[in-house]
Amino acid sequence: MVKARAYGHSLRAALAGLGQTDGFALLDLDDARWLRSQGWDKPILLLEGLFNEDDLNSVIELKCDLVVHCEEQLRWLERQNHPITVFLKLNSGMNRLGFSPDQYRLAYHRLHSAGHRVNHMTHFANADRVDREPSVGSQMECFTQTVEGLKGETSLANSAAVLWHRNALGDWVRPGIMLHGISPTGVYRDIEHAHLKAVMTLTSKIISVQDLKAGDAVGYGSRYRAPKAMRIGIIACGYADGYPRHASDGTPLWVYGPNDKSHGVLCPIAGQVSMDMLTIDLSNAPWATVGSTVELWGKNLAVDDVAGHAQTIGYELVCAIAPRVPVEII
Ligand SMILES: Cc1ncc(COP(=O)(O)O)c(C=O)c1O
């Protein structure tokens, strides 16, 4: 799964790092075109299928496979006699995309009669938790009963299912977030056992240091007020770079050690994140000064730990990295 510019990591990085995969899945024809231009000749699945009938010519030209999830898409493909590989989507309880179990088998036969190769797919709502319905078990049961006796390969599992529901893999797995070393649950500890490491490290530098007296306030709205005399580091990174504006005081950043980036310390955000800057309490890093490197998330600080302080999950933070942030692929 490399939608949303490979979860903010860039398609170029995904192609470099994941070139051994059996196929890529994404949303936009432009991205599919780019992969083909780089010589990628294995499958590309368009995860939300066609957005309009006119795109069929490009789909055929680029040899893309299509998810089919609604009646309109079905009609467009019935009018198309070039055979296309389709993943027909069953709504087995998530109620987002897909045909209901009642409609599914008829949809299958219509596509099949129109000459398309039809595979089966569904998506889990709760593979990352055990306390909610529909459970993986009930969605699996619905899927198995609905596709029984129909030819075609199957695809069910997102990252959480790959990690925790090994009986629900099917023929094609669809991991996304775990490929980037981030937990589907929003808690990095949950994937430590799988030895998945963060792919993205977001760094910046201290561009100024302020010496505050007790009682001085920092930034817009004066949200943070110094309880004692202290040093505040101003970091060149803000919400225009994709850093979450909702990050509360106390959100950690990793400040590199004086000579060695692996021996850094955590320093908390102090003050409202602004467009191009954020401010941290440097009490734990007396050596830090203008030019010191800080890690906003990555190898030393799980993106989920940051996300938790901004009432979100790692997915949202990495996807929101702004185009202006320079990317180095290692
Ligand atoms: C249909 C489908 N399959 C697989 C995935 C991958 O999910 P994850 O990133 O949690 O592995 C997604 C992502 O939302 C999806 O929409």
Side-chain angles (χ1 to χ4, degrees), residues 1 3 7 47 89 96 121 123 158-159 174-177 315:
M1 296 289 127
K3 58 194 183 141
Y7 292 53
L47 265 180
K89 189 154 188 180
R96 201 173 58 172
M121 155 181 190
H123 192 47
N158 56 2
S159 297
R174 302 195 308 272
I177 199 73
Y315 289 77

mmCIF file of all heavy atoms in Angstrom, residues 1 3 7 47 89 96 121 123 158-159 174-177 315, ligand 1:
data_model
loop_
_atom_site.group_PDB
_atom_site.id
_atom_site.type_symbol
_atom_site.label_atom_id
_atom_site.label_comp_id
_atom_site.label_asym_id
_atom_site.label_seq_id
_atom_site.Cartn_x
_atom_site.Cartn_y
_atom_site.Cartn_z
ATOM 1 N N MET A 1 0.847 -1.182 0.000
ATOM 2 C CA MET A 1 0.000 0.000 0.000
ATOM 3 C C MET A 1 0.885 1.235 0.000
ATOM 4 O O MET A 1 1.600 1.481 0.980
ATOM 5 C CB MET A 1 -0.869 0.039 1.268
ATOM 6 C CG MET A 1 -1.845 -1.084 1.367
ATOM 7 S SD MET A 1 -3.184 -0.926 0.175
ATOM 8 C CE MET A 1 -3.057 -2.513 -0.584
ATOM 9 N N LYS A 3 -0.386 4.383 -1.041
ATOM 10 C CA LYS A 3 -1.218 5.561 -1.275
ATOM 11 C C LYS A 3 -0.671 6.738 -0.467
ATOM 12 O O LYS A 3 0.182 6.539 0.411
ATOM 13 C CB LYS A 3 -2.673 5.264 -0.931
ATOM 14 C CG LYS A 3 -2.894 4.810 0.488
ATOM 15 C CD LYS A 3 -4.269 4.210 0.640
ATOM 16 C CE LYS A 3 -4.503 3.842 2.072
ATOM 17 N NZ LYS A 3 -5.840 4.112 2.536
ATOM 18 N N TYR A 7 2.453 6.983 2.192
ATOM 19 C CA TYR A 7 2.265 7.466 3.562
ATOM 20 C C TYR A 7 3.269 8.597 3.865
ATOM 21 O O TYR A 7 3.891 8.641 4.930
ATOM 22 C CB TYR A 7 2.432 6.325 4.574
ATOM 23 C CG TYR A 7 1.334 5.262 4.525
ATOM 24 C CD1 TYR A 7 1.004 4.620 3.338
ATOM 25 C CD2 TYR A 7 0.651 4.883 5.670
ATOM 26 C CE1 TYR A 7 0.016 3.641 3.296
ATOM 27 C CE2 TYR A 7 -0.345 3.902 5.633
ATOM 28 C CZ TYR A 7 -0.651 3.291 4.439
ATOM 29 O OH TYR A 7 -1.638 2.325 4.388
ATOM 30 N N LEU A 47 -6.914 1.476 -5.713
ATOM 31 C CA LEU A 47 -7.638 1.032 -4.526
ATOM 32 C C LEU A 47 -9.078 1.513 -4.427
ATOM 33 O O LEU A 47 -9.882 0.919 -3.729
ATOM 34 C CB LEU A 47 -6.918 1.559 -3.289
ATOM 35 C CG LEU A 47 -5.934 0.650 -2.607
ATOM 36 C CD1 LEU A 47 -5.348 1.371 -1.420
ATOM 37 C CD2 LEU A 47 -6.589 -0.643 -2.196
ATOM 38 N N LYS A 89 -15.081 -5.563 -4.295
ATOM 39 C CA LYS A 89 -15.023 -5.297 -2.856
ATOM 40 C C LYS A 89 -16.341 -5.635 -2.168
ATOM 41 O O LYS A 89 -17.406 -5.137 -2.546
ATOM 42 C CB LYS A 89 -14.667 -3.827 -2.618
ATOM 43 C CG LYS A 89 -14.367 -3.551 -1.154
ATOM 44 C CD LYS A 89 -13.444 -2.366 -1.012
ATOM 45 C CE LYS A 89 -12.975 -2.191 0.413
ATOM 46 N NZ LYS A 89 -12.086 -1.047 0.558
ATOM 47 N N ARG A 96 -18.010 1.221 4.546
ATOM 48 C CA ARG A 96 -17.371 2.355 3.884
ATOM 49 C C ARG A 96 -17.538 2.104 2.381
ATOM 50 O O ARG A 96 -18.443 2.641 1.778
ATOM 51 C CB ARG A 96 -15.911 2.452 4.329
ATOM 52 C CG ARG A 96 -15.299 3.810 4.129
ATOM 53 C CD ARG A 96 -13.916 3.921 4.732
ATOM 54 N NE ARG A 96 -12.967 2.937 4.200
ATOM 55 C CZ ARG A 96 -11.660 2.957 4.469
ATOM 56 N NH1 ARG A 96 -11.152 3.879 5.237
ATOM 57 N NH2 ARG A 96 -10.863 2.038 3.953
ATOM 58 N N MET A 121 -12.265 -9.154 -2.421
ATOM 59 C CA MET A 121 -11.565 -8.332 -1.438
ATOM 60 C C MET A 121 -12.544 -7.800 -0.391
ATOM 61 O O MET A 121 -13.708 -7.533 -0.684
ATOM 62 C CB MET A 121 -10.924 -7.173 -2.213
ATOM 63 C CG MET A 121 -10.662 -5.940 -1.453
ATOM 64 S SD MET A 121 -9.947 -4.752 -2.624
ATOM 65 C CE MET A 121 -9.448 -3.510 -1.465
ATOM 66 N N HIS A 123 -12.279 -5.398 3.657
ATOM 67 C CA HIS A 123 -11.368 -4.599 4.504
ATOM 68 C C HIS A 123 -11.886 -4.651 5.936
ATOM 69 O O HIS A 123 -13.087 -4.541 6.167
ATOM 70 C CB HIS A 123 -11.367 -3.151 3.983
ATOM 71 C CG HIS A 123 -10.280 -2.301 4.570
ATOM 72 N ND1 HIS A 123 -8.966 -2.711 4.661
ATOM 73 C CD2 HIS A 123 -10.305 -1.041 5.074
ATOM 74 C CE1 HIS A 123 -8.235 -1.749 5.201
ATOM 75 N NE2 HIS A 123 -9.025 -0.726 5.469
ATOM 76 N N ASN A 158 -4.997 -5.896 6.115
ATOM 77 C CA ASN A 158 -4.177 -4.697 6.294
ATOM 78 C C ASN A 158 -3.056 -5.024 7.296
ATOM 79 O O ASN A 158 -2.905 -6.182 7.711
ATOM 80 C CB ASN A 158 -5.045 -3.524 6.773
ATOM 81 C CG ASN A 158 -5.799 -3.857 8.061
ATOM 82 O OD1 ASN A 158 -5.648 -4.935 8.619
ATOM 83 N ND2 ASN A 158 -6.608 -2.924 8.522
ATOM 84 N N SER A 159 -2.275 -4.016 7.707
ATOM 85 C CA SER A 159 -1.144 -4.302 8.590
ATOM 86 C C SER A 159 -1.569 -5.016 9.864
ATOM 87 O O SER A 159 -0.929 -5.982 10.291
ATOM 88 C CB SER A 159 -0.442 -3.005 9.006
ATOM 89 O OG SER A 159 0.104 -2.363 7.899
ATOM 90 N N ARG A 174 -2.359 -6.688 2.173
ATOM 91 C CA ARG A 174 -2.334 -5.258 1.849
ATOM 92 C C ARG A 174 -1.754 -4.433 3.010
ATOM 93 O O ARG A 174 -2.415 -3.535 3.533
ATOM 94 C CB ARG A 174 -3.748 -4.761 1.529
ATOM 95 C CG ARG A 174 -4.432 -5.487 0.381
ATOM 96 C CD ARG A 174 -5.657 -4.706 -0.094
ATOM 97 N NE ARG A 174 -6.562 -4.363 0.977
ATOM 98 C CZ ARG A 174 -7.554 -5.138 1.412
ATOM 99 N NH1 ARG A 174 -7.799 -6.311 0.860
ATOM 100 N NH2 ARG A 174 -8.319 -4.740 2.409
ATOM 101 N N PRO A 175 -0.514 -4.709 3.424
ATOM 102 C CA PRO A 175 0.058 -3.925 4.518
ATOM 103 C C PRO A 175 0.455 -2.531 4.044
ATOM 104 O O PRO A 175 0.986 -2.367 2.951
ATOM 105 C CB PRO A 175 1.304 -4.727 4.914
ATOM 106 C CG PRO A 175 1.708 -5.406 3.641
ATOM 107 C CD PRO A 175 0.439 -5.693 2.889
ATOM 108 N N GLY A 176 0.188 -1.542 4.883
ATOM 109 C CA GLY A 176 0.609 -0.173 4.585
ATOM 110 C C GLY A 176 1.499 0.355 5.688
ATOM 111 O O GLY A 176 2.717 0.372 5.590
ATOM 112 N N ILE A 177 0.887 0.693 6.805
ATOM 113 C CA ILE A 177 1.615 1.428 7.845
ATOM 114 C C ILE A 177 2.800 0.637 8.400
ATOM 115 O O ILE A 177 3.853 1.198 8.700
ATOM 116 C CB ILE A 177 0.644 1.853 8.981
ATOM 117 C CG1 ILE A 177 1.230 2.986 9.808
ATOM 118 C CG2 ILE A 177 0.246 0.695 9.871
ATOM 119 C CD1 ILE A 177 1.239 4.308 9.136
ATOM 120 N N TYR A 315 -0.053 7.594 11.443
ATOM 121 C CA TYR A 315 -0.488 7.664 10.041
ATOM 122 C C TYR A 315 -0.638 9.123 9.605
ATOM 123 O O TYR A 315 -0.186 9.531 8.544
ATOM 124 C CB TYR A 315 -1.885 7.065 9.870
ATOM 125 C CG TYR A 315 -2.108 5.590 9.976
ATOM 126 C CD1 TYR A 315 -2.148 4.939 11.193
ATOM 127 C CD2 TYR A 315 -2.379 4.834 8.832
ATOM 128 C CE1 TYR A 315 -2.440 3.584 11.285
ATOM 129 C CE2 TYR A 315 -2.671 3.479 8.913
ATOM 130 C CZ TYR A 315 -2.698 2.860 10.149
ATOM 131 O OH TYR A 315 -2.989 1.524 10.229
HETATM 132 C C1 LIG B 1 -8.408 -1.028 1.384
HETATM 133 C C2 LIG B 1 -7.173 -0.856 2.202
HETATM 134 N N1 LIG B 1 -6.333 -1.879 2.351
HETATM 135 C C3 LIG B 1 -5.209 -1.774 3.091
HETATM 136 C C4 LIG B 1 -4.882 -0.595 3.727
HETATM 137 C C5 LIG B 1 -3.615 -0.522 4.535
HETATM 138 O O1 LIG B 1 -3.882 -0.277 5.866
HETATM 139 P P1 LIG B 1 -2.693 -0.177 6.928
HETATM 140 O O2 LIG B 1 -1.913 1.043 6.556
HETATM 141 O O3 LIG B 1 -3.385 -0.030 8.232
HETATM 142 O O4 LIG B 1 -1.883 -1.411 6.781
HETATM 143 C C6 LIG B 1 -5.744 0.487 3.620
HETATM 144 C C7 LIG B 1 -5.446 1.727 4.320
HETATM 145 O O5 LIG B 1 -6.270 2.426 4.825
HETATM 146 C C8 LIG B 1 -6.916 0.356 2.825
HETATM 147 O O6 LIG B 1 -7.767 1.377 2.683
#
